[in-house]
Amino acid sequence: MLEPSNNDQLPPIPGKRYFTIGEVSELCDVKPHVLRYWEQEFPTLSPVKRRGNRRYYQRQDVILIRQIRSLLYDQGFTIGGARQRMNGDDAREEATQVRQLIDQTVGELEELLSVLKA
């Protein structure tokens, strides 16, 4: 599960459709070369590539990167252990928890929008 304390430290994910590797690097507090390495190690992480082979990450990629970051940096998993955890039965549990996090974020954004409209 994503640690709540880590989410507080990481900036909120803006409501954009695509993010550059530099933006994702800042959003997830991970260097760009680490992101490129993780793409090789985690098959589920595959950003869209466009002109000049530039990477464009979608919101679900950013959430996945934050999960990977949490497993590796906060929970002490190795790359292999994190990959196994992401692909195993725990992946469904993680997905449920991420879904709850997304639902919570959407609710907070809708609440903020209603305040801004008032």
Side-chain angles (χ1 to χ4, degrees):
M1 182 178 142
L2 294 174
E3 299 285 326
S5 60
N6 294 331
N7 288 338
D8 292 342
Q9 295 170 1
L10 296 174
I13 303 170
K16 293 172 49 175
R17 184 169 175 129
Y18 293 104
F19 301 89
T20 65
I21 194 168
E23 291 171 327
V24 175
S25 174
E26 289 180 20
L27 288 171
C28 298
D29 193 24
V30 177
K31 303 250 186 232
H33 70 272
V34 174
L35 294 172
R36 289 189 293 272
Y37 175 68
W38 287 355
E39 288 174 29
Q40 297 171 3
E41 296 297 323
F42 296 91
T44 53
L45 179 59
S46 57
V48 177
K49 291 189 181 174
R50 293 205 181 139
R51 332 173 270 268
N53 221 13
R54 286 180 52 112
R55 291 167 169 78
Y56 289 94
Y57 296 86
Q58 295 181 353
R59 188 175 191 84
Q60 65 265 22
D61 294 324
V62 177
I63 293 169
L64 180 62
I65 290 166
R66 286 185 172 192
Q67 278 185 283
I68 293 168
R69 181 187 186 280
S70 175
L71 289 171
L72 297 175
Y73 295 174
D74 303 325
Q75 298 176 38
F77 280 82
T78 62
I79 292 278
R83 187 184 317 112
Q84 190 174 26
R85 175 112 186 231
M86 301 286 290
N87 293 336
D89 290 334
D90 292 331
R92 281 186 283 284
E93 180 183 327
E94 294 275 343
T96 300
Q97 292 166 347
V98 168
R99 183 77 234 162
Q100 290 171 349
L101 178 64
I102 291 170
D103 291 343
Q104 176 186 352
T105 304
V106 167
E108 291 171 3
L109 289 172
E110 288 172 344
E111 185 178 315
L112 180 61
L113 183 62
S114 67
V115 168
L116 290 173
K117 285 182 175 178

